Amino acid sequence: MGRVTADRGGRGRVRDRDQVAGSGAKAAWAELEAELGERATLVQFSSAFCAPCRATRRVLGEVARLVPGVTHVEIDAEARLDLVRRLEIVRTPTVLVLDAEGRIVRRATGQPRKADVIAALGEAL
């Protein structure tokens, strides 16, 4: 894998599925011991000393409680470096929106706004 650099201009921006690394994402998700949501899953990559990660956890938890069939899963990026590398996670928090089949349909880096998360779920549902 080549060198990966962070897109400094995309903080908190939700990108289209054409702009996300997804080739091995479904297989990578199968390695985790977490259940996919019935309709969609919000996967958050976090690190211990990341202040925006705590705020992102709150936002994603609220959205998961509001939208039926949506699950929020948080992954410690430092504990899962293999997955971080495979999915090209370059900073925390990074949020992946997975559809019911486990395919990545959206990706955001930085702290997302609640409205943006709900809008991104529209593509997964």
Side-chain angles (χ1 to χ4, degrees):
M1 180 168 84
R3 183 173 169 224
V4 179
T5 57
D7 175 12
R8 300 261 182 227
R11 290 189 175 121
R13 188 186 69 164
V14 178
R15 296 185 284 170
D16 293 330
R17 80 175 107 199
D18 295 336
Q19 298 172 305
V20 300
S23 58
K26 189 172 179 181
W29 180 255
E31 295 175 20
L32 294 176
E33 295 178 6
E35 291 287 323
L36 288 172
E38 183 181 310
R39 298 175 67 204
T41 305
L42 301 169
V43 180
Q44 175 184 349
F45 285 86
S46 299
S47 54
F49 299 104
C50 168
C53 293
R54 290 187 290 276
T56 298
R57 180 183 309 121
R58 282 192 304 275
V59 168
L60 298 182
E62 287 176 18
V63 171
R65 286 187 296 276
L66 284 173
V67 183
V70 174
T71 300
H72 171 227
V73 176
E74 188 170 2
I75 297 171
D76 180 353
E78 296 170 49
R80 292 304 312 257
L81 289 176
D82 59 323
L83 197 54
V84 165
R85 288 182 185 111
R86 192 172 329 156
L87 296 175
E88 299 178 5
I89 306 298
V90 295
R91 64 185 297 245
T92 57
T94 292
V95 177
L96 306 177
V97 179
L98 281 58
D99 65 12
E101 301 298 316
R103 293 180 299 253
I104 299 172
V105 295
R106 295 286 193 161
R107 176 185 191 116
T109 56
Q111 182 181 336
R113 294 180 314 142
K114 186 175 177 180
D116 292 337
V117 174
I118 292 170
L121 277 173
E123 185 150 340
L125 302 178

